[in-house]
Amino acid sequence: MQERIHQIYRSVEERKRDFNEVERPFSETEIRGQMERCHNCGIPFCHGAGCPLFNQVPDFNAAAAAGDWRAAFNILSQTSFFPEFTSRVCPALCEGSCCCGVDGDPVMVRQCEKMIIEKAFAADFVRPVIPAKRRGRRVAVIGSGPAGLFAAEGLNRAGFQVTVFEANHRPGGLLRYGIPDFKLSKSLIDRRLGIMEREGIVFTADTRIGTDISGAYLLRNFDAVVPALGTPCARDLAVPGRELAGIHSALEFLQGQNRVNSGELDTLPVSAAGKRVVISGGGDTGSDCAGTAIRQGAKSVRQIEIMPRPPEKRSPSTPWPAWPWMLRTSSSHMEGCEREWNVASDRFVGKDGKVTGIEVHAVAWSFSPEGRPLKPEAVSGSSRLIEADLVLLAMGFTGVPRAGLVDELKLELTPRNGIISDPARNIYAVGDCANGPSLVVRAMADAGKTVRNISEALS
Ligand SMILES: Cc1cc2nc3c(=O)[nH]c(=O)nc-3n(C[C@H](O)[C@H](O)[C@H](O)COP(=O)(O)OP(=O)(O)OC[C@H]3O[C@@H](n4cnc5c(N)ncnc54)[C@H](O)[C@@H]3O)c2cc1C
Protein backbone atom coordinates (compact mmCIF):
# COMPACT_ATOMS: atom_id res chain seq x y z
CA MET A 1 0.00 0.00 0.00
CA GLN A 2 1.28 3.47 -0.91
CA GLU A 3 2.22 6.02 1.75
CA ARG A 4 1.21 9.68 1.64
CA ILE A 5 3.48 11.45 -0.84
CA HIS A 6 5.49 14.25 0.74
CA GLN A 7 7.25 15.61 -2.32
CA ILE A 8 4.35 17.49 -3.87
CA TYR A 9 5.92 20.67 -5.33
CA ARG A 10 8.08 21.49 -8.31
CA SER A 11 11.66 22.22 -7.25
CA VAL A 12 12.18 25.54 -5.46
CA GLU A 13 14.70 26.67 -8.06
CA GLU A 14 12.28 26.05 -10.90
CA ARG A 15 9.10 27.43 -9.33
CA LYS A 16 10.68 30.61 -7.93
CA ARG A 17 11.24 31.73 -11.50
CA ASP A 18 7.60 31.67 -12.59
CA PHE A 19 4.02 32.20 -11.46
CA ASN A 20 2.78 28.80 -12.61
CA GLU A 21 1.16 26.50 -10.08
CA VAL A 22 3.71 25.29 -7.56
CA GLU A 23 2.38 21.78 -7.28
CA ARG A 24 3.98 19.18 -9.50
CA PRO A 25 1.83 16.97 -11.72
CA PHE A 26 0.99 13.57 -10.24
CA SER A 27 0.72 10.36 -12.21
CA GLU A 28 -2.52 8.40 -12.25
CA THR A 29 -0.69 5.57 -10.48
CA GLU A 30 0.31 7.87 -7.63
CA ILE A 31 -3.20 9.23 -7.19
CA ARG A 32 -4.91 5.87 -7.50
CA GLY A 33 -2.47 4.69 -4.83
CA GLN A 34 -3.86 7.42 -2.56
CA MET A 35 -7.45 6.53 -3.44
CA GLU A 36 -6.72 2.94 -2.51
CA ARG A 37 -5.48 4.12 0.91
CA CYS A 38 -8.98 5.54 1.53
CA HIS A 39 -10.64 3.02 3.86
CA ASN A 40 -14.23 3.62 2.85
CA CYS A 41 -14.72 3.99 6.62
CA GLY A 42 -17.95 2.97 8.33
CA ILE A 43 -18.23 6.52 9.64
CA PRO A 44 -16.32 8.73 7.22
CA PHE A 45 -15.45 11.79 9.29
CA CYS A 46 -13.92 13.48 6.23
CA HIS A 47 -17.33 14.55 4.99
CA GLY A 48 -19.18 14.72 8.29
CA ALA A 49 -16.71 16.53 10.54
CA GLY A 50 -14.36 17.75 7.81
CA CYS A 51 -15.67 19.03 4.48
CA PRO A 52 -18.20 21.88 4.81
CA LEU A 53 -19.61 20.85 1.42
CA PHE A 54 -20.05 17.25 2.67
CA ASN A 55 -18.06 15.94 -0.30
CA GLN A 56 -18.52 12.15 -0.39
CA VAL A 57 -14.81 11.44 -0.33
CA PRO A 58 -14.79 7.65 0.14
CA ASP A 59 -17.39 7.20 -2.61
CA PHE A 60 -15.60 9.23 -5.25
CA ASN A 61 -12.27 7.71 -4.28
CA ALA A 62 -13.67 4.19 -4.59
CA ALA A 63 -15.16 4.93 -8.01
CA ALA A 64 -11.97 6.48 -9.36
CA ALA A 65 -9.72 3.81 -7.84
CA ALA A 66 -11.81 1.30 -9.79
CA GLY A 67 -11.13 3.32 -12.94
CA ASP A 68 -14.63 4.82 -13.28
CA TRP A 69 -13.71 8.50 -13.53
CA ARG A 70 -17.12 9.51 -14.82
CA ALA A 71 -18.83 8.03 -11.76
CA ALA A 72 -16.25 9.71 -9.53
CA PHE A 73 -16.96 13.05 -11.20
CA ASN A 74 -20.72 12.56 -10.84
CA ILE A 75 -20.35 11.86 -7.12
CA LEU A 76 -18.03 14.84 -6.60
CA SER A 77 -20.21 17.24 -8.53
CA GLN A 78 -23.32 16.36 -6.51
CA THR A 79 -21.91 18.42 -3.64
CA SER A 80 -19.29 20.63 -5.25
CA PHE A 81 -19.84 22.85 -8.26
CA PHE A 82 -16.21 24.00 -8.56
CA PRO A 83 -13.80 21.22 -7.50
CA GLU A 84 -11.12 22.76 -9.70
CA PHE A 85 -10.83 25.66 -7.23
CA THR A 86 -11.00 23.77 -3.94
CA SER A 87 -8.62 21.11 -5.25
CA ARG A 88 -5.97 23.86 -5.61
CA VAL A 89 -6.55 26.15 -2.65
CA CYS A 90 -8.44 24.26 0.04
CA PRO A 91 -6.44 23.51 3.18
CA ALA A 92 -8.35 20.21 2.96
CA LEU A 93 -10.34 20.16 6.17
CA CYS A 94 -11.33 16.62 5.12
CA GLU A 95 -7.72 15.52 5.57
CA GLY A 96 -7.72 16.87 9.13
CA SER A 97 -10.46 14.38 9.99
CA CYS A 98 -9.38 11.48 7.76
CA CYS A 99 -9.39 8.19 9.70
CA CYS A 100 -5.97 7.34 8.24
CA GLY A 101 -4.72 10.41 10.10
CA VAL A 102 -5.60 9.04 13.55
CA ASP A 103 -2.25 7.31 13.82
CA GLY A 104 -0.65 7.97 10.47
CA ASP A 105 -0.84 10.26 7.45
CA PRO A 106 -4.20 11.18 5.92
CA VAL A 107 -5.14 10.35 2.34
CA MET A 108 -4.24 13.12 -0.15
CA VAL A 109 -7.88 13.98 -0.74
CA ARG A 110 -7.20 17.36 -2.33
CA GLN A 111 -5.00 15.85 -5.02
CA CYS A 112 -7.55 13.05 -5.60
CA GLU A 113 -10.23 15.69 -6.14
CA LYS A 114 -7.95 17.54 -8.55
CA MET A 115 -7.32 14.48 -10.69
CA ILE A 116 -11.04 13.66 -10.83
CA ILE A 117 -12.06 17.13 -11.98
CA GLU A 118 -9.20 17.53 -14.45
CA LYS A 119 -9.89 14.14 -15.99
CA ALA A 120 -13.56 15.14 -16.18
CA PHE A 121 -12.68 18.32 -18.07
CA ALA A 122 -10.32 16.45 -20.37
CA ALA A 123 -12.99 13.84 -21.14
CA ASP A 124 -15.64 16.53 -21.70
CA PHE A 125 -17.82 15.32 -18.80
CA VAL A 126 -18.11 18.88 -17.51
CA ARG A 127 -20.98 20.39 -19.44
CA PRO A 128 -23.28 23.35 -18.85
CA VAL A 129 -26.17 22.33 -16.58
CA ILE A 130 -29.29 23.95 -17.98
CA PRO A 131 -32.38 23.70 -15.76
CA ALA A 132 -35.28 21.76 -17.29
CA LYS A 133 -37.69 24.48 -16.20
CA ARG A 134 -37.26 28.15 -15.37
CA ARG A 135 -39.27 29.59 -12.50
CA GLY A 136 -39.78 33.03 -13.99
CA ARG A 137 -37.98 34.55 -10.99
CA ARG A 138 -34.85 36.70 -11.05
CA VAL A 139 -32.04 36.84 -8.51
CA ALA A 140 -29.25 39.43 -8.32
CA VAL A 141 -25.98 38.21 -6.83
CA ILE A 142 -23.65 41.03 -5.73
CA GLY A 143 -20.04 39.90 -5.86
CA SER A 144 -18.42 37.08 -7.81
CA GLY A 145 -16.03 35.46 -5.34
CA PRO A 146 -16.48 31.80 -4.50
CA ALA A 147 -19.65 32.54 -2.51
CA GLY A 148 -21.26 34.59 -5.28
CA LEU A 149 -20.28 32.10 -7.99
CA PHE A 150 -21.53 29.12 -5.99
CA ALA A 151 -24.82 30.90 -5.20
CA ALA A 152 -25.24 31.86 -8.87
CA GLU A 153 -24.60 28.30 -10.05
CA GLY A 154 -26.95 26.77 -7.46
CA LEU A 155 -29.73 29.27 -8.12
CA ASN A 156 -29.42 28.83 -11.87
CA ARG A 157 -29.65 25.06 -11.50
CA ALA A 158 -32.76 25.62 -9.34
CA GLY A 159 -34.38 27.48 -12.24
CA PHE A 160 -33.81 31.11 -11.27
CA GLN A 161 -32.59 33.65 -13.80
CA VAL A 162 -29.37 34.93 -12.25
CA THR A 163 -27.39 38.12 -12.83
CA VAL A 164 -24.06 38.55 -11.04
CA PHE A 165 -22.87 42.11 -10.46
CA GLU A 166 -19.15 42.59 -9.83
CA ALA A 167 -17.32 45.78 -8.91
CA ASN A 168 -14.01 44.53 -10.28
CA HIS A 169 -13.01 44.30 -13.91
CA ARG A 170 -13.30 40.50 -14.03
CA PRO A 171 -15.34 38.05 -11.95
CA GLY A 172 -13.70 35.77 -9.38
CA GLY A 173 -13.32 37.81 -6.19
CA LEU A 174 -10.28 36.79 -4.17
CA LEU A 175 -9.79 33.75 -6.40
CA ARG A 176 -8.72 36.22 -9.08
CA TYR A 177 -7.55 39.32 -7.20
CA GLY A 178 -6.06 37.86 -4.04
CA ILE A 179 -4.84 34.28 -4.31
CA PRO A 180 -1.60 34.21 -6.32
CA ASP A 181 -1.43 32.50 -9.68
CA PHE A 182 1.16 30.09 -8.30
CA LYS A 183 -1.62 28.60 -6.17
CA LEU A 184 -4.52 28.99 -8.60
CA SER A 185 -4.14 29.68 -12.29
CA LYS A 186 -6.69 32.27 -13.43
CA SER A 187 -7.33 30.30 -16.62
CA LEU A 188 -9.30 27.90 -14.41
CA ILE A 189 -11.67 30.71 -13.40
CA ASP A 190 -12.15 31.69 -17.04
CA ARG A 191 -12.80 28.08 -18.01
CA ARG A 192 -15.57 27.88 -15.39
CA LEU A 193 -17.05 31.29 -16.22
CA GLY A 194 -17.42 30.19 -19.84
CA ILE A 195 -19.56 27.26 -18.71
CA MET A 196 -21.64 29.42 -16.37
CA GLU A 197 -22.33 31.90 -19.16
CA ARG A 198 -23.48 29.08 -21.41
CA GLU A 199 -25.82 28.03 -18.60
CA GLY A 200 -27.53 31.41 -18.87
CA ILE A 201 -25.91 33.24 -15.94
CA VAL A 202 -25.30 36.89 -16.77
CA PHE A 203 -22.15 38.63 -15.47
CA THR A 204 -22.06 42.41 -15.22
CA ALA A 205 -18.54 43.49 -14.26
CA ASP A 206 -17.13 46.95 -13.46
CA THR A 207 -20.38 47.65 -11.60
CA ARG A 208 -20.38 48.51 -7.92
CA ILE A 209 -23.79 48.09 -6.35
CA GLY A 210 -24.56 50.93 -3.99
CA THR A 211 -22.62 53.33 -6.24
CA ASP A 212 -23.09 52.55 -9.95
CA ILE A 213 -26.48 50.90 -9.44
CA SER A 214 -28.44 51.25 -6.21
CA GLY A 215 -29.39 48.34 -4.02
CA ALA A 216 -32.96 49.72 -4.08
CA TYR A 217 -33.00 49.27 -7.88
CA LEU A 218 -32.04 45.62 -7.46
CA LEU A 219 -34.73 45.07 -4.84
CA ARG A 220 -37.33 46.54 -7.21
CA ASN A 221 -36.21 44.54 -10.23
CA PHE A 222 -35.21 41.17 -8.78
CA ASP A 223 -37.12 38.69 -6.62
CA ALA A 224 -34.12 38.19 -4.32
CA VAL A 225 -30.79 39.93 -3.75
CA VAL A 226 -27.73 38.02 -2.58
CA PRO A 227 -24.88 40.18 -1.23
CA ALA A 228 -21.65 38.19 -1.57
CA LEU A 229 -19.32 41.12 -1.00
CA GLY A 230 -16.46 39.48 0.87
CA THR A 231 -14.64 41.39 3.60
CA PRO A 232 -12.64 44.06 1.82
CA CYS A 233 -11.65 46.03 4.97
CA ALA A 234 -8.12 44.99 5.92
CA ARG A 235 -6.99 45.20 9.55
CA ASP A 236 -4.47 48.01 9.93
CA LEU A 237 -1.44 48.31 12.20
CA ALA A 238 -2.11 51.69 13.79
CA VAL A 239 1.26 52.31 15.42
CA PRO A 240 3.46 55.43 15.14
CA GLY A 241 5.09 55.77 11.74
CA ARG A 242 2.21 54.14 9.86
CA GLU A 243 2.16 57.12 7.45
CA LEU A 244 5.65 56.29 6.09
CA ALA A 245 5.96 55.30 2.44
CA GLY A 246 6.61 51.62 1.81
CA ILE A 247 3.89 50.21 4.07
CA HIS A 248 1.10 48.51 2.14
CA SER A 249 -1.79 46.14 2.67
CA ALA A 250 -1.20 42.57 1.56
CA LEU A 251 -4.06 42.73 -0.92
CA GLU A 252 -2.74 45.86 -2.59
CA PHE A 253 0.52 43.99 -3.14
CA LEU A 254 -1.00 40.67 -4.24
CA GLN A 255 -3.64 42.21 -6.48
CA GLY A 256 -0.99 44.23 -8.31
CA GLN A 257 0.96 41.10 -9.21
CA ASN A 258 -2.15 39.20 -10.33
CA ARG A 259 -3.23 42.14 -12.49
CA VAL A 260 0.19 42.36 -14.10
CA ASN A 261 0.19 38.61 -14.75
CA SER A 262 -3.19 38.86 -16.48
CA GLY A 263 -2.23 41.92 -18.50
CA GLU A 264 -4.70 44.20 -16.69
CA LEU A 265 -1.75 46.34 -15.53
CA ASP A 266 1.58 47.05 -17.17
CA THR A 267 3.63 47.71 -14.05
CA LEU A 268 3.50 46.63 -10.43
CA PRO A 269 1.95 49.26 -8.14
CA VAL A 270 4.09 47.86 -5.29
CA SER A 271 7.26 45.95 -6.02
CA ALA A 272 9.47 43.94 -3.68
CA ALA A 273 12.40 43.79 -6.10
CA GLY A 274 15.71 44.27 -4.28
CA LYS A 275 13.97 45.07 -0.99
CA ARG A 276 14.10 43.72 2.53
CA VAL A 277 10.47 42.70 2.94
CA VAL A 278 8.79 42.26 6.31
CA ILE A 279 5.32 40.76 6.38
CA SER A 280 3.28 41.42 9.47
CA GLY A 281 0.90 38.50 10.02
CA GLY A 282 1.74 34.82 10.04
CA GLY A 283 -1.25 33.43 8.15
CA ASP A 284 -1.90 32.29 4.61
CA THR A 285 -2.25 35.78 3.19
CA GLY A 286 1.20 36.58 4.59
CA SER A 287 2.58 33.40 3.10
CA ASP A 288 1.14 34.38 -0.31
CA CYS A 289 2.91 37.74 0.03
CA ALA A 290 6.16 35.88 0.76
CA GLY A 291 5.93 33.72 -2.38
CA THR A 292 5.07 36.76 -4.48
CA ALA A 293 7.89 38.88 -3.02
CA ILE A 294 10.37 36.06 -3.65
CA ARG A 295 9.27 35.83 -7.30
CA GLN A 296 9.62 39.59 -7.64
CA GLY A 297 13.26 39.36 -6.52
CA ALA A 298 13.12 40.56 -2.92
CA LYS A 299 16.48 40.80 -1.14
CA SER A 300 15.07 39.08 1.93
CA VAL A 301 11.62 38.06 3.16
CA ARG A 302 10.63 37.76 6.79
CA GLN A 303 7.17 37.00 8.21
CA ILE A 304 6.46 38.04 11.79
CA GLU A 305 3.58 36.93 13.96
CA ILE A 306 2.45 37.79 17.48
CA MET A 307 1.03 34.31 18.12
CA PRO A 308 3.30 31.52 19.37
CA ARG A 309 4.91 28.97 17.06
CA PRO A 310 2.34 26.18 16.64
CA PRO A 311 3.41 22.67 17.66
CA GLU A 312 4.98 20.37 15.03
CA LYS A 313 2.18 17.83 15.47
CA ARG A 314 -1.55 18.22 16.19
CA SER A 315 -2.06 20.17 19.42
CA PRO A 316 -4.07 18.37 22.15
CA SER A 317 -6.31 21.48 22.12
CA THR A 318 -7.61 20.32 18.71
CA PRO A 319 -7.99 16.53 19.01
CA TRP A 320 -8.91 14.44 15.97
CA PRO A 321 -11.26 14.88 14.05
CA ALA A 322 -11.05 18.65 14.65
CA TRP A 323 -8.97 20.75 12.26
CA PRO A 324 -5.53 20.54 13.88
CA TRP A 325 -3.72 23.55 15.27
CA MET A 326 -0.16 22.74 14.22
CA LEU A 327 2.75 24.25 12.32
CA ARG A 328 2.07 24.60 8.62
CA THR A 329 4.87 25.27 6.20
CA SER A 330 3.65 26.49 2.82
CA SER A 331 5.41 26.18 -0.51
CA SER A 332 6.25 29.90 -0.19
CA HIS A 333 7.91 29.41 3.20
CA MET A 334 10.15 26.78 1.68
CA GLU A 335 11.27 29.22 -1.01
CA GLY A 336 13.27 31.36 1.37
CA CYS A 337 11.02 33.08 3.91
CA GLU A 338 12.22 33.42 7.48
CA ARG A 339 9.50 33.16 10.10
CA GLU A 340 9.37 34.54 13.61
CA TRP A 341 6.69 34.09 16.24
CA ASN A 342 5.99 35.88 19.57
CA VAL A 343 6.74 39.24 17.94
CA ALA A 344 4.69 42.38 18.67
CA SER A 345 5.17 45.59 16.67
CA ASP A 346 5.63 48.93 18.46
CA ARG A 347 6.34 51.47 15.74
CA PHE A 348 7.62 51.95 12.24
CA VAL A 349 10.85 53.88 11.80
CA GLY A 350 11.92 55.65 8.65
CA LYS A 351 14.16 58.07 6.86
CA ASP A 352 13.14 60.79 4.39
CA GLY A 353 9.51 59.73 4.70
CA LYS A 354 10.25 56.08 3.79
CA VAL A 355 10.05 53.08 6.07
CA THR A 356 13.41 51.60 7.11
CA GLY A 357 12.30 49.21 9.83
CA ILE A 358 9.89 48.10 12.55
CA GLU A 359 10.62 48.33 16.23
CA VAL A 360 9.30 45.19 17.87
CA HIS A 361 9.38 43.40 21.22
CA ALA A 362 9.02 39.76 22.17
CA VAL A 363 5.96 38.35 23.95
CA ALA A 364 5.65 35.23 26.07
CA TRP A 365 2.36 33.31 25.99
CA SER A 366 0.55 31.47 28.73
CA PHE A 367 -1.26 28.29 27.64
CA SER A 368 -4.34 26.30 28.70
CA PRO A 369 -3.66 22.74 29.98
CA GLU A 370 -4.51 21.47 26.46
CA GLY A 371 -1.93 23.79 24.91
CA ARG A 372 -4.21 26.58 23.64
CA PRO A 373 -2.50 30.00 23.72
CA LEU A 374 -4.26 32.26 26.22
CA LYS A 375 -2.51 35.55 26.87
CA PRO A 376 0.67 37.31 25.73
CA GLU A 377 2.96 39.19 28.14
CA ALA A 378 5.62 41.61 26.92
CA VAL A 379 9.17 40.36 27.60
CA SER A 380 11.00 43.24 29.22
CA GLY A 381 14.21 44.41 27.58
CA SER A 382 13.40 42.59 24.33
CA SER A 383 12.95 45.65 22.06
CA ARG A 384 14.81 45.49 18.78
CA LEU A 385 14.69 46.81 15.24
CA ILE A 386 13.88 44.70 12.19
CA GLU A 387 15.13 46.46 9.09
CA ALA A 388 12.71 46.75 6.20
CA ASP A 389 12.28 48.64 2.93
CA LEU A 390 8.82 47.22 2.30
CA VAL A 391 6.27 46.26 4.96
CA LEU A 392 3.20 44.25 4.02
CA LEU A 393 0.30 44.14 6.45
CA ALA A 394 -1.39 40.74 6.39
CA MET A 395 -3.27 40.72 9.67
CA GLY A 396 -6.72 39.74 8.50
CA PHE A 397 -9.88 41.59 7.63
CA THR A 398 -12.47 43.42 9.68
CA GLY A 399 -15.69 42.91 7.74
CA VAL A 400 -17.73 44.93 5.26
CA PRO A 401 -17.73 48.72 5.00
CA ARG A 402 -20.90 50.55 5.99
CA ALA A 403 -20.48 53.10 3.22
CA GLY A 404 -22.26 52.04 0.03
CA LEU A 405 -24.66 49.12 -0.08
CA VAL A 406 -24.90 48.49 3.67
CA ASP A 407 -25.88 52.08 4.46
CA GLU A 408 -28.11 52.43 1.46
CA LEU A 409 -30.19 49.33 2.22
CA LYS A 410 -29.92 49.88 6.00
CA LEU A 411 -28.57 46.36 6.38
CA GLU A 412 -27.98 45.20 9.94
CA LEU A 413 -24.47 44.14 10.85
CA THR A 414 -23.18 41.67 13.42
CA PRO A 415 -20.74 43.01 16.06
CA ARG A 416 -17.94 41.82 13.71
CA ASN A 417 -19.31 43.77 10.74
CA GLY A 418 -20.93 40.83 8.98
CA ILE A 419 -24.16 41.42 7.06
CA ILE A 420 -27.28 39.90 8.65
CA SER A 421 -29.67 38.49 6.05
CA ASP A 422 -33.13 40.02 5.88
CA PRO A 423 -35.42 37.35 4.39
CA ALA A 424 -38.46 39.62 4.89
CA ARG A 425 -36.97 41.84 2.15
CA ASN A 426 -35.53 38.87 0.21
CA ILE A 427 -31.94 39.83 1.03
CA TYR A 428 -29.67 36.85 1.69
CA ALA A 429 -26.02 37.58 2.51
CA VAL A 430 -23.52 34.78 1.84
CA GLY A 431 -19.86 33.93 2.34
CA ASP A 432 -17.30 36.07 4.11
CA CYS A 433 -19.48 39.21 4.14
CA ALA A 434 -21.95 37.31 6.33
CA ASN A 435 -19.66 35.07 8.39
CA GLY A 436 -16.34 36.88 8.49
CA PRO A 437 -13.11 36.06 6.67
CA SER A 438 -12.75 32.34 6.22
CA LEU A 439 -12.07 29.86 3.45
CA VAL A 440 -13.15 29.30 -0.13
CA VAL A 441 -14.85 26.02 0.78
CA ARG A 442 -16.78 27.61 3.66
CA ALA A 443 -17.91 30.50 1.45
CA MET A 444 -19.19 27.97 -1.08
CA ALA A 445 -20.93 25.81 1.53
CA ASP A 446 -22.67 28.86 2.97
CA ALA A 447 -23.86 29.83 -0.50
CA GLY A 448 -25.20 26.30 -0.99
CA LYS A 449 -27.33 26.62 2.16
CA THR A 450 -28.63 29.98 0.98
CA VAL A 451 -29.63 28.54 -2.38
CA ARG A 452 -31.81 26.04 -0.51
CA ASN A 453 -33.31 28.83 1.63
CA ILE A 454 -34.11 31.03 -1.37
CA SER A 455 -35.54 28.09 -3.32
CA GLU A 456 -37.90 27.36 -0.41
CA ALA A 457 -38.80 30.98 0.22
CA LEU A 458 -39.55 31.68 -3.45
CA SER A 459 -41.07 28.30 -4.33
C1 LIG B 1 -4.57 36.65 -0.11
C2 LIG B 1 -5.60 35.65 0.28
C3 LIG B 1 -5.34 34.31 0.06
C4 LIG B 1 -6.27 33.37 0.41
N1 LIG B 1 -5.99 32.05 0.19
C5 LIG B 1 -6.91 31.13 0.47
C6 LIG B 1 -6.65 29.77 0.21
O1 LIG B 1 -5.57 29.41 -0.26
N2 LIG B 1 -7.62 28.86 0.49
C7 LIG B 1 -8.82 29.23 0.99
O2 LIG B 1 -9.68 28.37 1.20
N3 LIG B 1 -9.09 30.52 1.28
C8 LIG B 1 -8.18 31.48 1.02
N4 LIG B 1 -8.45 32.79 1.29
C9 LIG B 1 -9.78 33.15 1.80
C10 LIG B 1 -10.80 33.13 0.65
O3 LIG B 1 -10.24 33.75 -0.50
C11 LIG B 1 -12.09 33.83 1.06
O4 LIG B 1 -12.58 33.22 2.23
C12 LIG B 1 -13.14 33.72 -0.04
O5 LIG B 1 -12.67 34.27 -1.26
C13 LIG B 1 -14.43 34.44 0.35
O6 LIG B 1 -15.32 34.39 -0.71
P1 LIG B 1 -16.45 35.48 -0.91
O7 LIG B 1 -17.13 35.12 -2.20
O8 LIG B 1 -17.29 35.57 0.32
O9 LIG B 1 -15.71 36.89 -1.04
P2 LIG B 1 -14.61 37.44 -2.06
O10 LIG B 1 -13.82 36.36 -2.67
O11 LIG B 1 -13.90 38.49 -1.31
O12 LIG B 1 -15.47 38.11 -3.22
C14 LIG B 1 -16.26 39.26 -2.98
C15 LIG B 1 -16.52 39.95 -4.31
O13 LIG B 1 -17.53 40.94 -4.12
C16 LIG B 1 -17.18 42.08 -4.90
N5 LIG B 1 -17.90 43.24 -4.34
C17 LIG B 1 -17.75 43.78 -3.10
N6 LIG B 1 -18.60 44.81 -2.94
C18 LIG B 1 -19.30 44.91 -4.10
C19 LIG B 1 -20.35 45.79 -4.54
N7 LIG B 1 -20.85 46.74 -3.76
N8 LIG B 1 -20.85 45.63 -5.80
C20 LIG B 1 -20.35 44.64 -6.62
N9 LIG B 1 -19.38 43.79 -6.24
C21 LIG B 1 -18.86 43.91 -5.00
C22 LIG B 1 -15.68 42.17 -4.74
O14 LIG B 1 -15.12 42.97 -5.76
C23 LIG B 1 -15.30 40.70 -4.83
O15 LIG B 1 -15.08 40.33 -6.18
C24 LIG B 1 -7.51 33.76 0.99
C25 LIG B 1 -7.76 35.11 1.22
C26 LIG B 1 -6.82 36.05 0.87
C27 LIG B 1 -7.09 37.50 1.14
Side-chain angles (χ1 to χ4, degrees), residues 89 142-143 145-147 166-167 173-174 183 209 228-230 254 288 432 438 440:
V89 301
I142 312 173
E166 170 54 53
L174 287 172
K183 275 164 65 179
I209 304 302
L229 314 179
L254 294 170
D288 289 348
D432 282 8
S438 186
V440 167

Side-chain angles (χ1 to χ4, degrees), residues 213-226:
I213 294 179
S214 69
Y217 173 88
L218 296 191
L219 285 178
R220 279 197 308 276
N221 288 281
F222 290 84
D223 297 289
V225 171
V226 179

Side-chain angles (χ1 to χ4, degrees), residues 85-86 88-92 141-149 165-180 183 204 207-213 227-232 250-251 254 284-286 288-289 397 401 403-405 430-434 436-444:
F85 303 152
T86 41
R88 263 88 179 180
V89 301
C90 195
V141 175
I142 312 173
S144 63
L149 292 180
F165 295 92
E166 170 54 53
N168 256 316
H169 188 53
R170 297 280 298 135
L174 287 172
L175 296 174
R176 188 184 296 277
Y177 293 111
I179 297 177
K183 275 164 65 179
T204 305
T207 307
R208 183 170 290 280
I209 304 302
T211 311
D212 301 322
I213 294 179
L229 314 179
T231 52
L251 264 191
L254 294 170
D284 290 345
T285 301
D288 289 348
C289 289
F397 298 86
L405 188 70
V430 294
D432 282 8
C433 77
S438 186
L439 294 173
V440 167
V441 69
R442 291 208 179 102
M444 290 178 177

